[in-house]
PDB file of all heavy atoms in Angstrom:
ATOM      1  N   ALA A 614      16.250  -6.697   3.883  1.00 93.00           N
ATOM      2  CA  ALA A 614      17.017  -5.572   4.435  1.00 93.00           C
ATOM      3  C   ALA A 614      16.121  -4.385   4.751  1.00 93.00           C
ATOM      4  O   ALA A 614      16.295  -3.737   5.795  1.00 93.00           O
ATOM      5  CB  ALA A 614      18.106  -5.155   3.433  1.00 93.00           C
ATOM      6  N   ASN A 615      15.124  -4.139   3.917  1.00 92.00           N
ATOM      7  CA  ASN A 615      14.162  -3.088   4.214  1.00 92.00           C
ATOM      8  C   ASN A 615      13.366  -3.400   5.466  1.00 92.00           C
ATOM      9  O   ASN A 615      13.022  -2.507   6.250  1.00 92.00           O
ATOM     10  CB  ASN A 615      13.198  -2.911   3.036  1.00 92.00           C
ATOM     11  CG  ASN A 615      13.653  -1.842   2.070  1.00 92.00           C
ATOM     12  OD1 ASN A 615      13.947  -0.720   2.481  1.00 92.00           O
ATOM     13  ND2 ASN A 615      13.691  -2.159   0.795  1.00 92.00           N
ATOM     14  N   LEU A 616      13.050  -4.672   5.651  1.00 94.00           N
ATOM     15  CA  LEU A 616      12.329  -5.108   6.849  1.00 94.00           C
ATOM     16  C   LEU A 616      13.141  -4.785   8.106  1.00 94.00           C
ATOM     17  O   LEU A 616      12.625  -4.178   9.062  1.00 94.00           O
ATOM     18  CB  LEU A 616      12.044  -6.597   6.749  1.00 94.00           C
ATOM     19  CG  LEU A 616      11.582  -7.304   8.028  1.00 94.00           C
ATOM     20  CD1 LEU A 616      10.288  -6.723   8.540  1.00 94.00           C
ATOM     21  CD2 LEU A 616      11.418  -8.791   7.779  1.00 94.00           C
ATOM     22  N   LEU A 617      14.400  -5.176   8.118  1.00 94.00           N
ATOM     23  CA  LEU A 617      15.260  -4.881   9.273  1.00 94.00           C
ATOM     24  C   LEU A 617      15.443  -3.389   9.450  1.00 94.00           C
ATOM     25  O   LEU A 617      15.479  -2.873  10.599  1.00 94.00           O
ATOM     26  CB  LEU A 617      16.609  -5.569   9.103  1.00 94.00           C
ATOM     27  CG  LEU A 617      16.601  -7.098   9.055  1.00 94.00           C
ATOM     28  CD1 LEU A 617      17.988  -7.635   8.740  1.00 94.00           C
ATOM     29  CD2 LEU A 617      16.079  -7.680  10.352  1.00 94.00           C
ATOM     30  N   ASN A 618      15.543  -2.684   8.349  1.00 91.00           N
ATOM     31  CA  ASN A 618      15.729  -1.234   8.437  1.00 91.00           C
ATOM     32  C   ASN A 618      14.496  -0.548   9.015  1.00 91.00           C
ATOM     33  O   ASN A 618      14.639   0.420   9.756  1.00 91.00           O
ATOM     34  CB  ASN A 618      16.027  -0.689   7.043  1.00 91.00           C
ATOM     35  CG  ASN A 618      16.436   0.766   7.058  1.00 91.00           C
ATOM     36  OD1 ASN A 618      17.318   1.155   7.828  1.00 91.00           O
ATOM     37  ND2 ASN A 618      15.786   1.565   6.253  1.00 91.00           N
ATOM     38  N   LEU A 619      13.308  -1.044   8.687  1.00 92.00           N
ATOM     39  CA  LEU A 619      12.094  -0.468   9.238  1.00 92.00           C
ATOM     40  C   LEU A 619      12.025  -0.662  10.752  1.00 92.00           C
ATOM     41  O   LEU A 619      11.632   0.265  11.489  1.00 92.00           O
ATOM     42  CB  LEU A 619      10.864  -1.096   8.572  1.00 92.00           C
ATOM     43  CG  LEU A 619      10.395  -0.464   7.256  1.00 92.00           C
ATOM     44  CD1 LEU A 619       9.299  -1.295   6.627  1.00 92.00           C
ATOM     45  CD2 LEU A 619       9.912   0.955   7.486  1.00 92.00           C
ATOM     46  N   ILE A 620      12.370  -1.861  11.222  1.00 93.00           N
ATOM     47  CA  ILE A 620      12.344  -2.102  12.654  1.00 93.00           C
ATOM     48  C   ILE A 620      13.381  -1.219  13.349  1.00 93.00           C
ATOM     49  O   ILE A 620      13.124  -0.641  14.424  1.00 93.00           O
ATOM     50  CB  ILE A 620      12.587  -3.587  12.943  1.00 93.00           C
ATOM     51  CG1 ILE A 620      11.454  -4.424  12.342  1.00 93.00           C
ATOM     52  CG2 ILE A 620      12.695  -3.832  14.463  1.00 93.00           C
ATOM     53  CD1 ILE A 620      11.645  -5.913  12.483  1.00 93.00           C
ATOM     54  N   HIS A 621      14.564  -1.127  12.735  1.00 91.00           N
ATOM     55  CA  HIS A 621      15.594  -0.243  13.296  1.00 91.00           C
ATOM     56  C   HIS A 621      15.114   1.203  13.285  1.00 91.00           C
ATOM     57  O   HIS A 621      15.361   1.964  14.221  1.00 91.00           O
ATOM     58  CB  HIS A 621      16.885  -0.369  12.485  1.00 91.00           C
ATOM     59  CG  HIS A 621      17.936   0.597  12.894  1.00 91.00           C
ATOM     60  ND1 HIS A 621      18.474   1.521  12.014  1.00 91.00           N
ATOM     61  CD2 HIS A 621      18.522   0.827  14.096  1.00 91.00           C
ATOM     62  CE1 HIS A 621      19.374   2.266  12.660  1.00 91.00           C
ATOM     63  NE2 HIS A 621      19.422   1.853  13.911  1.00 91.00           N
ATOM     64  N   ARG A 622      14.402   1.571  12.214  1.00 90.00           N
ATOM     65  CA  ARG A 622      13.879   2.932  12.132  1.00 90.00           C
ATOM     66  C   ARG A 622      12.873   3.212  13.237  1.00 90.00           C
ATOM     67  O   ARG A 622      12.878   4.296  13.854  1.00 90.00           O
ATOM     68  CB  ARG A 622      13.189   3.093  10.767  1.00 90.00           C
ATOM     69  CG  ARG A 622      12.491   4.422  10.573  1.00 90.00           C
ATOM     70  CD  ARG A 622      13.495   5.534  10.245  1.00 90.00           C
ATOM     71  NE  ARG A 622      12.822   6.808  10.278  1.00 90.00           N
ATOM     72  CZ  ARG A 622      12.008   7.234   9.302  1.00 90.00           C
ATOM     73  NH1 ARG A 622      11.821   6.495   8.232  1.00 90.00           N
ATOM     74  NH2 ARG A 622      11.447   8.425   9.413  1.00 90.00           N
ATOM     75  N   MET A 623      12.011   2.232  13.529  1.00 92.00           N
ATOM     76  CA  MET A 623      11.069   2.402  14.633  1.00 92.00           C
ATOM     77  C   MET A 623      11.814   2.572  15.962  1.00 92.00           C
ATOM     78  O   MET A 623      11.489   3.460  16.753  1.00 92.00           O
ATOM     79  CB  MET A 623      10.148   1.181  14.717  1.00 92.00           C
ATOM     80  CG  MET A 623       9.174   1.044  13.560  1.00 92.00           C
ATOM     81  SD  MET A 623       8.044  -0.337  13.795  1.00 92.00           S
ATOM     82  CE  MET A 623       7.042   0.295  15.125  1.00 92.00           C
ATOM     83  N   MET A 624      12.834   1.754  16.167  1.00 91.00           N
ATOM     84  CA  MET A 624      13.597   1.847  17.407  1.00 91.00           C
ATOM     85  C   MET A 624      14.309   3.192  17.515  1.00 91.00           C
ATOM     86  O   MET A 624      14.337   3.814  18.569  1.00 91.00           O
ATOM     87  CB  MET A 624      14.610   0.706  17.473  1.00 91.00           C
ATOM     88  CG  MET A 624      14.009  -0.669  17.694  1.00 91.00           C
ATOM     89  SD  MET A 624      13.161  -0.738  19.275  1.00 91.00           S
ATOM     90  CE  MET A 624      14.440  -0.205  20.365  1.00 91.00           C
ATOM     91  N   LYS A 625      14.867   3.635  16.416  1.00 89.00           N
ATOM     92  CA  LYS A 625      15.610   4.898  16.434  1.00 89.00           C
ATOM     93  C   LYS A 625      14.678   6.070  16.763  1.00 89.00           C
ATOM     94  O   LYS A 625      15.041   6.947  17.555  1.00 89.00           O
ATOM     95  CB  LYS A 625      16.277   5.108  15.068  1.00 89.00           C
ATOM     96  CG  LYS A 625      17.152   6.334  15.001  1.00 89.00           C
ATOM     97  CD  LYS A 625      17.973   6.338  13.716  1.00 89.00           C
ATOM     98  CE  LYS A 625      17.117   6.361  12.486  1.00 89.00           C
ATOM     99  NZ  LYS A 625      17.912   6.444  11.234  1.00 89.00           N
ATOM    100  N   GLU A 626      13.488   6.078  16.158  1.00 90.00           N
ATOM    101  CA  GLU A 626      12.554   7.176  16.430  1.00 90.00           C
ATOM    102  C   GLU A 626      12.062   7.133  17.871  1.00 90.00           C
ATOM    103  O   GLU A 626      11.938   8.179  18.524  1.00 90.00           O
ATOM    104  CB  GLU A 626      11.372   7.115  15.454  1.00 90.00           C
ATOM    105  CG  GLU A 626      11.730   7.366  14.007  1.00 90.00           C
ATOM    106  CD  GLU A 626      12.358   8.735  13.772  1.00 90.00           C
ATOM    107  OE1 GLU A 626      12.094   9.659  14.611  1.00 90.00           O
ATOM    108  OE2 GLU A 626      13.103   8.884  12.814  1.00 90.00           O
ATOM    109  N   VAL A 627      11.770   5.939  18.373  1.00 91.00           N
ATOM    110  CA  VAL A 627      11.333   5.829  19.765  1.00 91.00           C
ATOM    111  C   VAL A 627      12.466   6.216  20.708  1.00 91.00           C
ATOM    112  O   VAL A 627      12.255   6.921  21.707  1.00 91.00           O
ATOM    113  CB  VAL A 627      10.846   4.393  20.032  1.00 91.00           C
ATOM    114  CG1 VAL A 627      10.616   4.178  21.532  1.00 91.00           C
ATOM    115  CG2 VAL A 627       9.577   4.098  19.257  1.00 91.00           C
TER     116      VAL A 627
END
Side-chain angles (χ1 to χ4, degrees):
N615 267 309
L616 167 61
L617 297 174
N618 188 50
L619 274 173
I620 297 176
H621 174 240
R622 175 79 189 284
M623 292 184 69
M624 289 298 306
K625 184 170 61 176
E626 294 300 336
V627 170

